[in-house]
């Protein structure tokens, strides 16, 4: 083992000869060291690291995974999995995010940079033991020091590099569904949004738009004159976002297939033949995204669609999902044939069923194909978790080459640490279950800890049928997530706002309008988090140090000023909320009509009607609120409202930029520094404009600790 110091707080321990995953962007200088801080290490069949936790230690992290924000009590496997049943017993979801923070007697972070399977047993097998096991003995382990969990996360975000920023329009509401079968269906959806005056920025094209599910093709029958169609929809105010899948259909004369074969860009089996497994189109080959040439080749194919006016994509099935291989299919059929004349008892009947179930995403299949990494053949199983990451990297690098400096919308299903530099993620095939709103809430800060900021779940749930109440409560939470998309599966109940009754449509419309009014704050907080390597959603304990705040998992902090207490239970008319300090509560029915109440530090039951969104503004903090419009480009935020709860002094930096280019990376952005200070009788505002030419008026609504509202106005830009 070798140790390298990356900076004062991070040491990398290298075991064997690990593959470069590009997760971490810093390298370090070698140290002399013969032990790894904190861990007891064992190298038998697997390499394992163990640590004894104190009773009250909390373990944060693991990004996209089941259970709570505190991961203690669970066992988790980092192995990107196409598993649509997100029940609490599932050890793996679509992402592999091997970063944890131990917050207790010791405080430290661990990043296990291992592209194969890693198991995190966090007090499951033994209540106090944290044990990390990796099958591969070639691995980098990073130990991150810091004074608090929050600081450790910041150190981690520093070494993995700056997070992706989507275009500003991608902060608008987005409507999706698998089964918008043709241009007509999409046009109808667009028209309904306009008719109902519900803001919306994007409509999604699921696999329905492709010809026989082939990447970069268009079904000309269902979507004739695609380029004009994209433009027509854009003229109506919406962008179309097509899906791209990892598998490439095996079909003669299909250019992507032919080229991939000819250039040797597909993954191969042990005999050097292109690996075959089925996904949506049937049998496919799989681009070798770990091969840099293949990556560039596939990435530039996105041009086929950008040339038609497309400005955003979602990459799917990139764990990669394998429905079956010839091997699995043959085995299942043979077992079935042999069983035909048998008297199947419970064991053999289940074994037969399992043969068919295990045809999909089978480990044996993952072990049967290879990547060509810099001329070396590497078995897929060893680098499994890098596949979706590199598909998305391929897209991001391709898009950059296609149109340099333009921000595209891009997010992926599978992911690994480091992919956050290229795109966002959505949390995959959840269900229309109340439990999944809560899982969504808890997962958000964990994903932020792993670098992913542009995130969101399928609002309303993907599988199963949603009722109006579930979609309402879910929308009332999702309106705060950077990716705000309602998506559902083919065959399930439609869940667009207008697919329900009029009341529900009205409530959803108000919630979506609130989202648009909040965009000045949401965008400002998002971009500051990108630039400062901060989180957007935080657990309460990252700001408040009291014991109770450490145990609250169903409330979140959003950026600098807000606390959220979403409703995630059916038929609830309110909920319990814990306030670590006095806060200002704004129950939003319509954001234009504002009424506030002060809620004191402590535990409370808060009534929250089905048509209300609770927003807590923290003490000595402020919220920037604009107005809604039909889409983000139509927002007119010349006048901004500053809603502040001020005991003595509040400060805020309002960030903005062009929302279209990557110029913000070269410091081309604007800020308005706002300070509100209480004097003996009044409030004094200091506003320092650092380059913002758009905002003309700031309307202050300052609420004092007795609940009195002080209204003031400041003019900017002449
Ligand atoms: C996968 C995706 C889902 C999509 C479906 C059809 O299940 O996760 O979002 O709708 O494939 O493309």
């Amino acid at each position: 083992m070798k140790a390298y110091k990356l900076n004062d707080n991070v040491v990398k321990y290298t075991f064997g000869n690990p593959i470069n995953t590009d997760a971490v962007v810093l390298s370090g200088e070698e140290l002399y060291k013969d032990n790894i801080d904190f861990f007891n290490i064992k190298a038998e069949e697997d390499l394992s690291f163990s640590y004894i936790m104190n009773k009250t230690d909390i373990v944060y992290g693991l990004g996209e995974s089941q259970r709570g924000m505190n991961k203690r009590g669970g066992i988790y496997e980092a192995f990107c999995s196409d598993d649509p049943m997100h029940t609490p017993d599932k050890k793996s979801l679509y992402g592999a995010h091997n970063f944890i923070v131990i917050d207790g007697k010791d405080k430290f972070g661990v990043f296990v940079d291992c592209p194969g399977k890693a198991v995190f047993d966090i007090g499951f097998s033994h209540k106090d033991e944290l044990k990390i096991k990796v099958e591969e003995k070639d691995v980098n382990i990073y130990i991150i020091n810091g004074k608090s969990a929050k600081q450790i996360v910041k150190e981690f975000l520093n070494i993995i590099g700056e997070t992706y920023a989507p275009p500003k329009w991608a902060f608008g509401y987005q409507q999706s569904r698998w089964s918008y079968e043709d241009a007509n269906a999409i046009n109808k959806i667009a028209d309904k949004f306009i008719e109902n005056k519900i803001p919306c920025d994007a409509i999604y094209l699921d696999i329905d738009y492709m010809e026989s599910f082939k990447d970069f093709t268009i079904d000309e029958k269902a979507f004739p004159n695609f380029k004009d169609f994209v433009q027509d929809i854009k003229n109506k105010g919406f962008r179309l976002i097509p899906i791209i899948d990892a598998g490439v259909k095996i079909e003669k004369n299909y250019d992507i297939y032919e080229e991939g074969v000819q250039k040797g860009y597909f993954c191969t089996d042990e005999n050097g033949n292109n690996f075959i497994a089925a996904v949506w189109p049937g049998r496919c080959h799989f681009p070798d995204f770990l091969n840099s040439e293949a990556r560039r080749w596939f990435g530039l194919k996105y041009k086929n669609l950008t040339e038609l006016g497309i400005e955003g994509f979602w990459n799917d099935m990139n764990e990669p999902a394998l429905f079956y291989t010839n091997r699995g299919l043959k085995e299942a059929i043979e077992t079935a044939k042999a069983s035909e004349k048998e008297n199947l008892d419970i064991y053999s009947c289940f074994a037969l069923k399992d043969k068919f179930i295990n045809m999909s995403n089978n480990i044996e299949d993952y072990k049967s194909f290879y990547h060509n990494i810099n001329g070396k053949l590497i078995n897929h199983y060893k680098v499994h978790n890098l596949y979706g990451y590199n598909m998305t990297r391929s897209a991001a690098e391709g898009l950059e080459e296609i149109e340099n400096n333009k921000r595209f919308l891009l997010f992926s299903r599978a992911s690994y640490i480091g992919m956050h530099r290229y795109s966002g993620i959505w949390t995959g095939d959840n269900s229309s279950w109340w439990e999944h709103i809560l899982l969504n809430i808890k997962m958000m800060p964990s994903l932020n800890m792993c670098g992913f900021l542009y995130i969101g779940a399928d609002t309303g749930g993907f599988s199963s049928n949603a009722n109006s109440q579930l979609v309402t409560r879910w929308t009332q939470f999702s309106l705060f997530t950077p990716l705000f998309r309602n998506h559902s599966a083919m065959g399930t109940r439609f869940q667009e706002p207008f697919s329900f009754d009029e009341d529900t449509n009205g409530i959803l419309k108000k919630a979506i309008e609130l989202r648009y009014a909040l965009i000045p704050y949401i965008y400002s907080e998002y971009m500051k988090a990108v630039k400062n390597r901060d989180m957007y959603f935080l657990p309460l304990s990252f700001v408040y140090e009291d014991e109770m705040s450490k145990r609250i998992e169903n409330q979140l902090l959003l950026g600098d000023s807000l606390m959220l207490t979403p409703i995630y239970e059916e038929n609830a008319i309110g909920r319990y909320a814990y306030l670590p300090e006095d806060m200002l509560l704004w129950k939003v029915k319509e954001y234009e009509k504002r009424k506030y109440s002060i809620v004191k530090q402590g535990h409370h039951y808060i009534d929250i009607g089905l048509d209300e969104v609770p927003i807590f503004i923290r003490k000595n903090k402020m919220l920037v609120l604009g107005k809604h419009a039909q889409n983000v480009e139509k927002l007119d935020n010349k006048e901004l409202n500053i809603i502040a709860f001020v005991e003595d002094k509040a400060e805020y930096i309002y960030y903005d930029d062009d929302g279209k280019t990557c110029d913000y990376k070269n410091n081309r952005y604007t800020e308005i520094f706002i300070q509100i200070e209480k004097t003996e009788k009044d409030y004094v505002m200091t506003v320092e404009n650092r380059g913002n030419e758009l905002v003309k008026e700031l309307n202050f609504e300052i609420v004092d600790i007795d609940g009195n509202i002080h209204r003031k106005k400041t003019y900017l830009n002449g």
Side-chain angles (χ1 to χ4, degrees), residues 11 33 56-57 68 180 183-184 292 313 544 613 620 686 704 715:
V11 179
K33 226 165 169 169
T56 54
D57 287 4
Y180 291 151
N184 204 11
S292 55
F313 298 91
Y544 298 101
V613 181
N620 289 326
T686 311
D704 66 26
Y715 294 94

Side-chain angles (χ1 to χ4, degrees), residues 319-320 366 369-371 378-385 387:
E319 294 70 32
Y366 287 127
F369 67 98
Y370 294 82
H371 297 276
I378 309 275
N379 186 274
H380 172 79
Y381 182 72
K382 288 178 190 274
V383 289
H384 173 75
N385 293 332
Y387 194 77

Side-chain angles (χ1 to χ4, degrees), residues 28 97 140 260:
H97 305 143
N140 284 312

Side-chain angles (χ1 to χ4, degrees), residues 624-641:
V624 183
L625 186 79
K627 282 194 206 77
H628 77 278
Q630 190 60 32
N631 58 43
V632 169
E633 273 163 18
K634 293 211 174 101
L635 289 175
D636 171 6
N637 284 322
K638 279 193 222 82
E639 264 182 56
L640 291 175
N641 296 303

